[in-house]
Amino acid sequence: MPADPISEALAAAFGLSRAGRHAEALSTLDGLGGKAAHDPRVHALRGRVLVQRGDALGARVAIDTALALDPDCAPALVEDAALARSAGDTGRAIAALTRLTRNVPQQPAFWFDLGQLSAESGDAEHAHQAYSRTLALAPAHVEARLQRANLDAAAGRRSAAIAEYRQCLALRPGWREALLNLGEMLLLEGQFADAADIWQQAVQIDPQAPRTWDGLARAAKAARRFEQALAARRRVAELDDTPPAWALLGMEQLRLGDLAAARDAFETALQRDPDYLPARWGRFQLPRNVVHADGAAMQRFRAQWLEELAWFEAAPIEHTPPAVLVGCITLATEFYIHYLGEPFVAEQRRYGALLERMMAAAFRARAPAASRPRDDGRMRIGFCSGFLRTHTVSKLFASLPGALSRERWEI
């Protein structure tokens, strides 16, 4: 059977284009003359070569010509989708790929590209369906599996996401992205020990990445592996060397009771940025030692605490980002000032007023509207604490709500 000259020319031109010999590829197509005028494949390949040469306008004309001749021409639809995507016309690209998957339903690459574009356009449901179809045709398509897992994770289907990430790692052991995403999902699911083990694998694969050490620090802390968490936090600070990294190290050292090391970490954070409020707040609250060496050390801490209180009172709290204020409030309290043996009544009122300002500035957008007074004149009051359990704080104060008069208060 004699060879089809158009098919031969197409194969030759395609090979030349892949080799970067674009002018020769176009010359080969031009050599077909009028014989190819009505063959959409020729116009589709011309569009591909013109894209490679940077002639997007010429490529669009060639591809539109191909589609006018045959709206279902697969090569033309492939090039149409690619050109539309590069031009930011996601809708047209999705339309071309949808037509492709209908005409060539057994090609997993088309389904995967459709999933990618659907995800980019915010259509998670169709993206998930496209990735699922990809995997039905090609179960070892690890990129599609990862993307489907990410969609499950974003939709709160954590168990499905965890299973998918594990399958990704079975197909591609040590894959950094799958490890990181799996570590995050395990943390959210409360599987802290497994999360710490996964993050440990991640740091072995990428030991110079602060993010991997941060994940290990968070997972180890949640798993109550405090020494491992501290070592990971220290490594984050060494690699990242930013005020937040040093402040988080200070928090971890504070958790383990090493006040001097915590203050040093906060000091380092402030050396990097003297205006980093969480580090200043942490330093504000801490003496260098739980037990003061002598009366002079107690007075130094007292003077430091009062000086820092005044500094924060004068700070522009109302213009501070809410996340920064929350970072301060949740970092530390004035716990250690009580051990100086003084009542500090006026100072405590000042401190309480400062916290009130910080809370108001941090949560003003979410503050509920004031409720109407009750008809019976009672005031409503709520109690919220992490210590409503067997704890020294509850031994001292848990009786307070119960002692309030129900005639004056609605608890």
Side-chain angles (χ1 to χ4, degrees):
M1 180 182 295
D4 174 7
I6 293 180
S7 296
E8 286 185 343
L10 285 170
F14 185 78
L16 289 167
S17 73
R18 293 193 65 179
R21 296 158 64 180
H22 304 135
E24 294 174 66
L26 290 174
S27 179
T28 301
L29 294 174
D30 291 338
L32 290 169
K35 294 181 295 185
H38 298 289
D39 192 320
R41 299 173 300 164
V42 175
H43 295 286
L45 183 53
R46 181 182 298 280
R48 178 188 179 90
V49 177
L50 289 172
V51 166
Q52 293 170 339
R53 294 191 75 180
D55 184 358
L57 182 60
R60 170 50 63 203
V61 172
I63 293 166
D64 285 347
T65 301
L67 291 172
L69 291 167
D70 180 5
D72 291 325
C73 175
L77 288 169
V78 169
E79 301 306 329
D80 187 34
L83 186 59
R85 187 174 188 177
S86 66
D89 190 349
T90 304
R92 178 162 183 162
I94 289 176
L97 284 166
T98 300
R99 198 175 189 96
L100 265 174
T101 55
R102 183 171 64 244
N103 297 337
V104 193
Q106 299 306 309
Q107 176 52 261
F110 297 159
W111 286 105
F112 178 72
D113 287 346
L114 180 58
Q116 294 287 81
L117 281 168
S118 297
E120 288 174 16
S121 68
D123 190 345
E125 181 180 354
H126 282 98
H128 198 280
Q129 292 171 0
Y131 291 136
S132 296
R133 190 63 182 269
T134 306
L135 291 168
L137 295 168
H141 197 305
V142 69
E143 293 287 350
R145 195 168 294 281
L146 179 75
Q147 296 305 325
R148 187 171 73 171
N150 290 343
L151 289 174
D152 284 331
R157 298 186 290 267
R158 294 174 187 165
S159 296
I162 287 171
E164 290 276 38
Y165 289 135
R166 290 195 185 281
Q167 184 63 29
C168 287
L169 291 167
L171 292 167
R172 187 184 292 179
W175 191 8
R176 181 180 183 273
E177 188 173 358
L179 281 170
L180 300 187
N181 294 353
L182 175 57
E184 295 292 358
M185 281 297 101
L186 290 170
L187 268 173
L188 289 171
E189 278 292 275
Q191 300 178 36
F192 303 134
D194 286 350
D197 293 341
I198 289 296
W199 284 107
Q200 184 64 56
Q201 292 180 46
V203 300
Q204 290 170 353
I205 289 167
D206 194 357
Q208 298 304 311
R211 181 187 171 188
T212 58
W213 288 101
D214 174 76
L216 179 57
R218 289 183 288 117
K221 178 180 175 180
R224 303 187 68 77
R225 302 177 185 174
F226 297 126
E227 291 297 334
Q228 184 183 28
L230 177 60
R233 258 311 144 222
R234 186 176 290 112
R235 189 63 181 138
V236 173
E238 292 168 353
L239 291 169
D240 195 22
D241 196 24
T242 60
W246 284 104
L248 285 170
L249 174 60
M251 289 175 64
E252 206 60 49
Q253 288 164 325
L254 175 59
R255 176 179 295 277
L256 294 179
D258 191 342
L259 272 60
R263 279 187 61 94
D264 288 343
F266 293 138
E267 290 282 4
T268 303
L270 290 169
Q271 289 169 12
R272 304 297 184 267
D273 180 1
D275 296 323
Y276 187 63
L277 286 190
R280 183 149 192 166
W281 183 268
R283 186 184 66 177
F284 164 28
Q285 310 293 351
L286 299 183
R288 292 205 67 84
N289 297 288
V290 176
V291 178
H292 296 280
D294 50 33
M298 294 173 69
Q299 289 307 309
R300 281 195 299 272
F301 176 51
R302 182 184 189 279
Q304 166 215 302
W305 192 88
L306 291 172
E307 180 182 344
E308 290 294 306
L309 174 61
W311 188 93
F312 274 96
E313 287 174 322
I317 297 298
E318 287 71 20
H319 301 289
T320 301
V324 173
L325 296 175
V326 172
C328 294
I329 294 166
T330 57
L331 181 87
T333 69
E334 82 286 27
F335 184 82
Y336 291 100
I337 198 69
H338 301 290
Y339 289 86
L340 295 181
E342 300 179 42
F344 287 115
V345 175
E347 293 82 355
Q348 289 280 19
R349 285 177 176 152
R350 288 170 56 193
Y351 187 83
L354 172 62
L355 285 180
E356 197 169 316
R357 280 179 60 206
M358 295 171 76
M359 292 289 282
F363 297 103
R364 184 177 293 111
R366 284 181 277 174
S371 59
R372 282 194 314 108
R374 288 178 52 91
D375 293 338
D376 60 11
R378 289 191 298 164
M379 295 285 289
R380 295 166 121 186
I381 184 169
F383 293 87
C384 176
S385 174
F387 300 108
L388 298 178
R389 54 188 171 85
T390 303
H391 190 278
T392 302
V393 171
S394 64
K395 290 178 184 178
L396 292 171
F397 300 109
S399 62
L400 177 60
L404 291 176
S405 167
R406 273 16 181 209
E407 294 180 358
R408 292 184 55 197
W409 300 97
E410 178 188 353
I411 308 301

